[in-house]
mmCIF file of all heavy atoms in Angstrom:
data_model
loop_
_atom_site.group_PDB
_atom_site.id
_atom_site.type_symbol
_atom_site.label_atom_id
_atom_site.label_comp_id
_atom_site.label_asym_id
_atom_site.label_seq_id
_atom_site.Cartn_x
_atom_site.Cartn_y
_atom_site.Cartn_z
ATOM 1 N N GLY B 81 98.923 73.111 95.348
ATOM 2 C CA GLY B 81 98.468 72.318 94.175
ATOM 3 C C GLY B 81 97.691 71.080 94.646
ATOM 4 O O GLY B 81 97.593 70.756 95.798
ATOM 5 N N GLU B 82 97.297 70.286 93.580
ATOM 6 C CA GLU B 82 96.553 69.082 93.884
ATOM 7 C C GLU B 82 97.387 68.059 94.613
ATOM 8 O O GLU B 82 96.819 67.377 95.505
ATOM 9 C CB GLU B 82 96.132 68.483 92.547
ATOM 10 C CG GLU B 82 95.226 67.251 92.722
ATOM 11 C CD GLU B 82 94.787 66.591 91.435
ATOM 12 O OE1 GLU B 82 94.650 67.350 90.422
ATOM 13 O OE2 GLU B 82 94.557 65.401 91.426
ATOM 14 N N ALA B 83 98.738 68.003 94.324
ATOM 15 C CA ALA B 83 99.503 67.068 95.081
ATOM 16 C C ALA B 83 99.541 67.264 96.549
ATOM 17 O O ALA B 83 99.421 66.300 97.317
ATOM 18 C CB ALA B 83 100.954 67.122 94.493
ATOM 19 N N ALA B 84 99.614 68.539 96.944
ATOM 20 C CA ALA B 84 99.636 68.841 98.410
ATOM 21 C C ALA B 84 98.347 68.368 99.023
ATOM 22 O O ALA B 84 98.324 67.769 100.090
ATOM 23 C CB ALA B 84 99.882 70.338 98.622
ATOM 24 N N VAL B 85 97.206 68.685 98.371
ATOM 25 C CA VAL B 85 95.875 68.370 98.912
ATOM 26 C C VAL B 85 95.761 66.851 99.017
ATOM 27 O O VAL B 85 95.265 66.294 99.988
ATOM 28 C CB VAL B 85 94.787 68.934 98.111
ATOM 29 C CG1 VAL B 85 93.407 68.601 98.719
ATOM 30 C CG2 VAL B 85 94.933 70.442 97.977
ATOM 31 N N THR B 86 96.188 66.144 97.958
ATOM 32 C CA THR B 86 96.103 64.700 97.929
ATOM 33 C C THR B 86 96.937 64.095 99.057
ATOM 34 O O THR B 86 96.410 63.170 99.743
ATOM 35 C CB THR B 86 96.679 64.192 96.577
ATOM 36 O OG1 THR B 86 95.924 64.736 95.511
ATOM 37 C CG2 THR B 86 96.513 62.684 96.470
ATOM 38 N N LYS B 87 98.112 64.550 99.279
ATOM 39 C CA LYS B 87 98.929 64.027 100.365
ATOM 40 C C LYS B 87 98.255 64.221 101.743
ATOM 41 O O LYS B 87 98.247 63.384 102.624
ATOM 42 C CB LYS B 87 100.356 64.602 100.319
ATOM 43 C CG LYS B 87 101.162 63.969 99.222
ATOM 44 C CD LYS B 87 102.521 64.565 99.084
ATOM 45 C CE LYS B 87 103.204 64.066 97.836
ATOM 46 N NZ LYS B 87 104.210 65.038 97.393
ATOM 47 N N PHE B 88 97.700 65.437 101.865
ATOM 48 C CA PHE B 88 97.008 65.807 103.053
ATOM 49 C C PHE B 88 95.825 64.802 103.358
ATOM 50 O O PHE B 88 95.652 64.226 104.330
ATOM 51 C CB PHE B 88 96.478 67.217 102.993
ATOM 52 C CG PHE B 88 95.724 67.717 104.184
ATOM 53 C CD1 PHE B 88 96.352 68.314 105.271
ATOM 54 C CD2 PHE B 88 94.310 67.541 104.209
ATOM 55 C CE1 PHE B 88 95.642 68.714 106.381
ATOM 56 C CE2 PHE B 88 93.614 68.073 105.278
ATOM 57 C CZ PHE B 88 94.266 68.594 106.383
ATOM 58 N N ARG B 89 95.099 64.582 102.287
ATOM 59 C CA ARG B 89 93.887 63.865 102.269
ATOM 60 C C ARG B 89 94.118 62.370 102.568
ATOM 61 O O ARG B 89 93.461 61.745 103.353
ATOM 62 C CB ARG B 89 93.221 64.008 100.874
ATOM 63 C CG ARG B 89 91.893 63.492 100.691
ATOM 64 C CD ARG B 89 91.264 64.146 99.425
ATOM 65 N NE ARG B 89 91.984 63.991 98.174
ATOM 66 C CZ ARG B 89 91.906 62.930 97.454
ATOM 67 N NH1 ARG B 89 91.183 61.909 97.815
ATOM 68 N NH2 ARG B 89 92.555 62.870 96.365
ATOM 69 N N ARG B 90 95.096 61.821 101.790
ATOM 70 C CA ARG B 90 95.242 60.375 101.962
ATOM 71 C C ARG B 90 95.779 59.891 103.302
ATOM 72 O O ARG B 90 95.696 58.730 103.585
ATOM 73 C CB ARG B 90 96.057 59.786 100.786
ATOM 74 C CG ARG B 90 97.458 60.159 100.723
ATOM 75 C CD ARG B 90 98.079 59.753 99.393
ATOM 76 N NE ARG B 90 99.460 60.059 99.332
ATOM 77 C CZ ARG B 90 100.199 60.088 98.263
ATOM 78 N NH1 ARG B 90 99.702 59.725 97.074
ATOM 79 N NH2 ARG B 90 101.477 60.329 98.326
ATOM 80 N N ASP B 91 96.335 60.812 104.105
ATOM 81 C CA ASP B 91 96.774 60.461 105.440
ATOM 82 C C ASP B 91 95.667 60.536 106.443
ATOM 83 O O ASP B 91 95.779 60.055 107.554
ATOM 84 C CB ASP B 91 97.968 61.318 105.849
ATOM 85 C CG ASP B 91 99.190 60.992 105.111
ATOM 86 O OD1 ASP B 91 99.310 59.885 104.609
ATOM 87 O OD2 ASP B 91 100.073 61.941 105.013
ATOM 88 N N ARG B 92 94.596 61.229 106.146
ATOM 89 C CA ARG B 92 93.618 61.569 107.107
ATOM 90 C C ARG B 92 92.150 61.137 106.773
ATOM 91 O O ARG B 92 91.322 60.996 107.698
ATOM 92 C CB ARG B 92 93.591 63.085 107.335
ATOM 93 C CG ARG B 92 94.822 63.671 107.835
ATOM 94 C CD ARG B 92 94.804 65.209 107.815
ATOM 95 N NE ARG B 92 95.968 65.769 108.411
ATOM 96 C CZ ARG B 92 97.170 65.870 107.756
ATOM 97 N NH1 ARG B 92 97.211 65.415 106.509
ATOM 98 N NH2 ARG B 92 98.229 66.365 108.337
ATOM 99 N N ILE B 93 91.862 61.059 105.515
ATOM 100 C CA ILE B 93 90.487 61.050 105.071
ATOM 101 C C ILE B 93 90.146 59.762 104.229
ATOM 102 O O ILE B 93 90.937 59.451 103.303
ATOM 103 C CB ILE B 93 90.056 62.300 104.283
ATOM 104 C CG1 ILE B 93 90.218 63.508 105.155
ATOM 105 C CG2 ILE B 93 88.671 62.190 103.753
ATOM 106 C CD1 ILE B 93 90.115 64.874 104.454
ATOM 107 N N GLY B 94 89.053 59.064 104.515
ATOM 108 C CA GLY B 94 88.578 58.030 103.688
ATOM 109 C C GLY B 94 87.272 58.491 103.056
ATOM 110 O O GLY B 94 86.521 59.284 103.689
ATOM 111 N N PHE B 95 86.984 58.095 101.801
ATOM 112 C CA PHE B 95 85.762 58.558 101.113
ATOM 113 C C PHE B 95 85.078 57.469 100.399
ATOM 114 O O PHE B 95 85.681 56.721 99.653
ATOM 115 C CB PHE B 95 86.144 59.736 100.149
ATOM 116 C CG PHE B 95 85.064 60.681 99.821
ATOM 117 C CD1 PHE B 95 85.084 61.968 100.279
ATOM 118 C CD2 PHE B 95 83.942 60.252 99.083
ATOM 119 C CE1 PHE B 95 84.040 62.851 100.037
ATOM 120 C CE2 PHE B 95 82.937 61.096 98.828
ATOM 121 C CZ PHE B 95 82.956 62.416 99.288
ATOM 122 N N VAL B 96 83.783 57.287 100.677
ATOM 123 C CA VAL B 96 82.989 56.341 99.898
ATOM 124 C C VAL B 96 82.145 57.171 98.886
ATOM 125 O O VAL B 96 81.315 57.966 99.316
ATOM 126 C CB VAL B 96 82.068 55.527 100.844
ATOM 127 C CG1 VAL B 96 81.268 54.528 99.994
ATOM 128 C CG2 VAL B 96 82.788 54.902 101.938
ATOM 129 N N PHE B 97 82.357 57.003 97.627
ATOM 130 C CA PHE B 97 81.670 57.777 96.635
ATOM 131 C C PHE B 97 80.295 57.257 96.319
ATOM 132 O O PHE B 97 80.072 56.057 96.350
ATOM 133 C CB PHE B 97 82.486 57.853 95.377
ATOM 134 C CG PHE B 97 83.830 58.561 95.583
ATOM 135 C CD1 PHE B 97 84.938 57.819 95.930
ATOM 136 C CD2 PHE B 97 83.911 59.910 95.459
ATOM 137 C CE1 PHE B 97 86.174 58.456 96.117
ATOM 138 C CE2 PHE B 97 85.145 60.476 95.717
ATOM 139 C CZ PHE B 97 86.238 59.785 95.988
ATOM 140 N N GLN B 98 79.399 58.204 95.922
ATOM 141 C CA GLN B 98 78.062 57.769 95.572
ATOM 142 C C GLN B 98 78.173 56.888 94.327
ATOM 143 O O GLN B 98 77.408 55.944 94.185
ATOM 144 C CB GLN B 98 77.263 59.052 95.217
ATOM 145 C CG GLN B 98 75.763 58.855 95.200
ATOM 146 C CD GLN B 98 75.003 60.196 95.153
ATOM 147 O OE1 GLN B 98 75.584 61.294 95.200
ATOM 148 N NE2 GLN B 98 73.708 60.130 94.966
ATOM 149 N N GLN B 99 79.119 57.153 93.401
ATOM 150 C CA GLN B 99 79.267 56.308 92.244
ATOM 151 C C GLN B 99 80.456 55.301 92.344
ATOM 152 O O GLN B 99 81.106 54.925 91.410
ATOM 153 C CB GLN B 99 79.518 57.170 90.992
ATOM 154 C CG GLN B 99 78.255 57.624 90.331
ATOM 155 C CD GLN B 99 77.755 58.932 90.940
ATOM 156 O OE1 GLN B 99 78.480 59.620 91.545
ATOM 157 N NE2 GLN B 99 76.452 59.207 90.780
ATOM 158 N N PHE B 100 80.896 54.972 93.590
ATOM 159 C CA PHE B 100 81.908 54.008 93.918
ATOM 160 C C PHE B 100 83.289 54.415 93.464
ATOM 161 O O PHE B 100 84.246 54.321 94.221
ATOM 162 C CB PHE B 100 81.571 52.591 93.377
ATOM 163 C CG PHE B 100 80.148 52.214 93.430
ATOM 164 C CD1 PHE B 100 79.589 51.513 92.366
ATOM 165 C CD2 PHE B 100 79.353 52.559 94.493
ATOM 166 C CE1 PHE B 100 78.230 51.166 92.415
ATOM 167 C CE2 PHE B 100 78.033 52.226 94.506
ATOM 168 C CZ PHE B 100 77.441 51.518 93.494
ATOM 169 N N ASN B 101 83.491 54.691 92.150
ATOM 170 C CA ASN B 101 84.786 55.094 91.658
ATOM 171 C C ASN B 101 85.874 54.070 91.898
ATOM 172 O O ASN B 101 86.972 54.389 92.366
ATOM 173 C CB ASN B 101 85.253 56.479 92.139
ATOM 174 C CG ASN B 101 84.459 57.560 91.476
ATOM 175 O OD1 ASN B 101 84.154 57.433 90.256
ATOM 176 N ND2 ASN B 101 84.099 58.604 92.170
ATOM 177 N N LEU B 102 85.558 52.812 91.612
ATOM 178 C CA LEU B 102 86.626 51.816 91.753
ATOM 179 C C LEU B 102 87.416 51.744 90.427
ATOM 180 O O LEU B 102 86.819 52.012 89.349
ATOM 181 C CB LEU B 102 85.959 50.395 91.957
ATOM 182 C CG LEU B 102 85.105 50.292 93.183
ATOM 183 C CD1 LEU B 102 84.409 48.955 93.324
ATOM 184 C CD2 LEU B 102 85.931 50.517 94.466
ATOM 185 N N LEU B 103 88.634 51.304 90.467
ATOM 186 C CA LEU B 103 89.459 51.206 89.254
ATOM 187 C C LEU B 103 89.015 49.931 88.474
ATOM 188 O O LEU B 103 89.122 48.881 89.039
ATOM 189 C CB LEU B 103 90.932 51.110 89.617
ATOM 190 C CG LEU B 103 91.739 52.386 89.655
ATOM 191 C CD1 LEU B 103 91.896 52.955 88.270
ATOM 192 C CD2 LEU B 103 91.105 53.410 90.556
ATOM 193 N N PRO B 104 88.591 50.107 87.228
ATOM 194 C CA PRO B 104 88.104 48.916 86.493
ATOM 195 C C PRO B 104 89.112 47.781 86.237
ATOM 196 O O PRO B 104 88.744 46.668 86.063
ATOM 197 C CB PRO B 104 87.573 49.495 85.222
ATOM 198 C CG PRO B 104 88.304 50.825 85.046
ATOM 199 C CD PRO B 104 88.592 51.321 86.454
ATOM 200 N N THR B 105 90.405 48.160 86.217
ATOM 201 C CA THR B 105 91.378 47.136 85.846
ATOM 202 C C THR B 105 91.879 46.405 87.136
ATOM 203 O O THR B 105 92.605 45.411 86.951
ATOM 204 C CB THR B 105 92.626 47.769 85.172
ATOM 205 O OG1 THR B 105 93.078 48.868 85.970
ATOM 206 C CG2 THR B 105 92.382 48.220 83.755
ATOM 207 N N LEU B 106 91.480 46.896 88.271
ATOM 208 C CA LEU B 106 91.974 46.222 89.538
ATOM 209 C C LEU B 106 90.842 45.322 90.100
ATOM 210 O O LEU B 106 89.707 45.641 89.999
ATOM 211 C CB LEU B 106 92.358 47.290 90.483
ATOM 212 C CG LEU B 106 93.436 48.273 90.091
ATOM 213 C CD1 LEU B 106 93.793 49.204 91.278
ATOM 214 C CD2 LEU B 106 94.682 47.564 89.594
ATOM 215 N N THR B 107 91.309 44.249 90.772
ATOM 216 C CA THR B 107 90.360 43.382 91.502
ATOM 217 C C THR B 107 89.891 44.064 92.739
ATOM 218 O O THR B 107 90.429 45.088 93.170
ATOM 219 C CB THR B 107 91.065 42.074 91.873
ATOM 220 O OG1 THR B 107 92.053 42.331 92.797
ATOM 221 C CG2 THR B 107 91.646 41.342 90.701
ATOM 222 N N ALA B 108 88.882 43.464 93.429
ATOM 223 C CA ALA B 108 88.358 44.077 94.630
ATOM 224 C C ALA B 108 89.508 44.277 95.640
ATOM 225 O O ALA B 108 89.668 45.353 96.203
ATOM 226 C CB ALA B 108 87.320 43.107 95.243
ATOM 227 N N LEU B 109 90.271 43.200 95.867
ATOM 228 C CA LEU B 109 91.366 43.293 96.868
ATOM 229 C C LEU B 109 92.395 44.374 96.501
ATOM 230 O O LEU B 109 92.848 45.221 97.270
ATOM 231 C CB LEU B 109 92.062 41.945 97.009
ATOM 232 C CG LEU B 109 93.185 41.881 98.047
ATOM 233 C CD1 LEU B 109 92.604 42.267 99.438
ATOM 234 C CD2 LEU B 109 93.702 40.519 98.170
ATOM 235 N N GLU B 110 92.725 44.422 95.178
ATOM 236 C CA GLU B 110 93.725 45.378 94.658
ATOM 237 C C GLU B 110 93.133 46.807 94.832
ATOM 238 O O GLU B 110 93.890 47.761 95.217
ATOM 239 C CB GLU B 110 94.043 45.168 93.227
ATOM 240 C CG GLU B 110 94.923 43.959 93.025
ATOM 241 C CD GLU B 110 95.032 43.552 91.590
ATOM 242 O OE1 GLU B 110 94.174 43.974 90.710
ATOM 243 O OE2 GLU B 110 95.920 42.747 91.258
ATOM 244 N N ASN B 111 91.857 47.019 94.616
ATOM 245 C CA ASN B 111 91.288 48.287 94.823
ATOM 246 C C ASN B 111 91.383 48.761 96.295
ATOM 247 O O ASN B 111 91.618 49.943 96.606
ATOM 248 C CB ASN B 111 89.748 48.305 94.389
ATOM 249 C CG ASN B 111 89.606 48.778 93.027
ATOM 250 O OD1 ASN B 111 89.775 50.021 92.741
ATOM 251 N ND2 ASN B 111 89.183 47.958 92.062
ATOM 252 N N VAL B 112 91.191 47.754 97.185
ATOM 253 C CA VAL B 112 91.256 48.113 98.604
ATOM 254 C C VAL B 112 92.699 48.450 99.064
ATOM 255 O O VAL B 112 92.908 49.333 99.882
ATOM 256 C CB VAL B 112 90.636 46.997 99.466
ATOM 257 C CG1 VAL B 112 90.824 47.310 100.915
ATOM 258 C CG2 VAL B 112 89.167 46.817 99.144
ATOM 259 N N THR B 113 93.691 47.778 98.441
ATOM 260 C CA THR B 113 95.060 48.051 98.846
ATOM 261 C C THR B 113 95.655 49.324 98.129
ATOM 262 O O THR B 113 96.692 49.800 98.545
ATOM 263 C CB THR B 113 96.003 46.894 98.443
ATOM 264 O OG1 THR B 113 95.946 46.659 97.054
ATOM 265 C CG2 THR B 113 95.558 45.612 99.183
ATOM 266 N N LEU B 114 94.952 49.776 97.067
ATOM 267 C CA LEU B 114 95.457 50.835 96.307
ATOM 268 C C LEU B 114 95.887 52.140 97.118
ATOM 269 O O LEU B 114 96.940 52.646 96.955
ATOM 270 C CB LEU B 114 94.472 51.209 95.186
ATOM 271 C CG LEU B 114 94.939 52.369 94.204
ATOM 272 C CD1 LEU B 114 96.185 51.972 93.478
ATOM 273 C CD2 LEU B 114 93.826 52.689 93.255
ATOM 274 N N PRO B 115 95.002 52.722 97.971
ATOM 275 C CA PRO B 115 95.383 53.905 98.640
ATOM 276 C C PRO B 115 96.721 53.764 99.432
ATOM 277 O O PRO B 115 97.506 54.639 99.431
ATOM 278 C CB PRO B 115 94.191 54.192 99.636
ATOM 279 C CG PRO B 115 93.082 53.509 98.956
ATOM 280 C CD PRO B 115 93.627 52.249 98.284
#
Side-chain angles (χ1 to χ4, degrees):
Chain B
E82 183 181 333
V85 181
T86 301
K87 285 178 187 152
F88 179 87
R89 191 159 57 79
R90 68 190 181 193
D91 289 337
R92 298 170 176 80
I93 298 172
F95 204 109
V96 183
F97 296 92
Q98 200 171 349
Q99 274 88 21
F100 323 139
N101 285 324
L102 301 174
L103 267 294
T105 50
L106 303 183
T107 64
L109 183 58
E110 287 169 343
N111 262 295
V112 176
T113 62
L114 179 65

